[in-house]
Structures are given as structure tokens and as C-alpha cells.
Amino acid sequence: MENGAARPAPAVIVAIDGPSGTGKSSTSKAVAAKLGLSYLDTGAQYRAITWWMVTNGIDITDPTAIAAVAGKPEIISGTDPSAPAITVDGTDVAGPIRTQEVTSKVSAVSAVSEVRARITELQRSIAAAAEPGIVVEGRDIGTTVLPDADLKIFLTASPEARASRRSGELKGADVNSTREALLKRDAADSSRKTSPLAKADDAVEVDTSDLTLQQVIECVVTLVEEKRAAK
């Protein structure tokens, strides 16, 4: 090395996919923060466009109506893992997009191919602009959005473990009804025609059922560091 300067770590694009309740968001944010990478929650973008549709009175049961306005809202995602921000037409929607109303409608909006094309384009441009590299979490990142990602990870967990975690997040939620809702969402996401929830052939599967969050984070950090060292 000239002047004894350390060579900066090569940029690395990490795709983390998996269903709800597997620890995906917590893991992705922590890994990005630990390794100095940008972070993108793609689910928040789909929630954001769903929030916009609901707020503007678009008929969520009509794919044609959804498709017609898919290009209208301006969605801007911050990529700081310690404070991921998201705005729609200049309005901070980080809180509103987590409501039950949005959660119950996001699968229907996400299934519309025009919506997916719009959001996928947005996600690819954000990943391309992330100089140090980025951790992108979602459901179709390794298969559709970033098929050339340096590292693909697919997090899984038993329905019971996922329901327990998610009902813990949603204070006072019933574990059984949460489990049913998660399985219903899985079925909708896995069976949609456009970019279904699926594990990429070259993804590393990590079952988080019996792991603490810290163990999952350490596992993923190790995988990323190995990938960076090999670049």
C-alpha cells in the first residue's frame, strides 16, 4: 500500500429476503450499521405507495385503478441504517405506513405489476448509488431486484417463532391470529405472478427460529465479511 494507507473495503451489495417475522429488518439494519453500509427497507416502499393509494381514495380491489396511478407519488427513501427515513410527496410516512390498514392492503397493491416495476426501478437506482455498498431487504431482492447481488441471504423461521416475534412487536396482539395473518401474507406473496417471494438458487438460507437476534446478526456479518475478503 502506498503511504501505508489501508485500502477501503470493496463495496458489497447484500440482498436479504424472507417472510415477515424472521428478523429481517432488525438484522439488516444492524449488519449495515456494523459494516458501514447503506440500508434499504424495500417493504417500506411498498407500504408507502399503499399508504398513498389509501390516502387518495384509490380502489385497492381494482388493479387497473392502482396501475393507472402507480407513477404518481414521489417516494424518497433514506439509507441511514440508524435512522431510515421515508417520505411520500414530501410527507414523512415512517409512522403511518405501519398501521393495520396499510398492512392489510399492501399485498394487493404489491401484486400489481406496474407498481412492482416502478418500485423495482427505484430500488435498483438506490443500490447503484450506494458507494460503500448496501444491505437491501425485502421479498424478491435476490431473485428480481438485484439478481447480481454479491451476497444473497434468505432468512426463514417457523410460523410459531415468527408469530411470537410479530405479536411481541404489535403489543397485545394474539399469537394465533398473528400466525394466521402471517401465513395468509406468505400465501399471497408467494403466489403472485410478478416477483413472488422466493429463495434465489444461490442464496444462503439461515433459519432463525432458535437463534437470538444477536446470533443472526453475527452470522450475516461473517458471511458479508467473507464475501468482501474474496472480492
Side-chain angles (χ1 to χ4, degrees):
M1 284 292 139
E2 287 180 48
N3 306 329
R7 187 169 68 93
V12 62
I13 293 180
V14 182
I16 300 185
D17 289 307
S20 306
T22 53
K24 204 170 50 191
S25 291
S26 304
T27 299
S28 300
K29 277 187 276 202
V31 169
K34 198 163 186 175
L35 296 174
L37 302 173
S38 294
Y39 159 77
L40 179 61
D41 173 2
T42 64
Q45 295 177 313
Y46 283 105
R47 285 173 172 274
I49 199 167
T50 301
W51 174 85
W52 185 90
M53 300 273 176
V54 171
T55 304
N56 285 277
I58 307 303
D59 183 356
I60 302 299
T61 63
D62 182 355
T64 307
I66 293 171
V69 294
K72 283 195 170 182
E74 182 190 27
I75 299 168
I76 297 177
S77 298
T79 57
D80 177 354
S82 63
I86 185 159
T87 63
V88 179
D89 295 337
T91 300
D92 177 357
V93 295
I97 63 172
R98 302 293 169 186
T99 61
Q100 186 53 44
E101 183 178 24
V102 170
T103 299
S104 65
K105 295 179 167 69
V106 69
S107 283
V109 174
S110 303
V112 177
S113 57
E114 287 83 357
V115 169
R116 297 205 79 79
R118 161 91 201 283
I119 301 290
T120 296
E121 185 182 349
L122 184 59
Q123 291 161 1
R124 285 176 177 156
S125 65
I126 291 169
E131 288 181 10
I134 191 168
V135 177
V136 184
E137 61 138 313
R139 284 169 163 74
D140 66 339
I141 310 307
T143 51
T144 303
V145 180
L146 300 168
D148 298 325
D150 298 300
L151 175 64
K152 301 175 188 177
I153 293 167
F154 194 85
L155 297 184
T156 63
S158 69
E160 290 70 29
R162 292 167 55 206
S164 167
R165 286 172 194 160
R166 188 42 62 93
S167 57
E169 290 168 16
L170 308 168
K171 303 290 181 282
D174 175 68
V175 174
N176 287 331
S177 58
T178 302
R179 180 177 180 274
E180 292 306 312
L182 285 171
L183 293 175
K184 188 177 173 185
R185 175 85 193 268
D186 287 355
D189 289 348
S190 303
S191 60
R192 65 172 176 243
K193 291 187 180 68
T194 310
S195 310
L197 164 68
K199 174 175 172 275
D201 293 339
D202 53 348
V204 178
E205 186 167 326
V206 179
D207 187 332
T208 69
S209 303
D210 301 318
L211 300 177
T212 64
L213 176 60
Q214 203 50 48
Q215 287 172 321
V216 179
I217 292 166
E218 285 167 13
C219 171
V220 175
V221 164
T222 301
L223 289 167
V224 177
E225 286 177 332
E226 286 173 355
K227 185 59 70 172
R228 277 211 293 213
K231 284 194 94 172

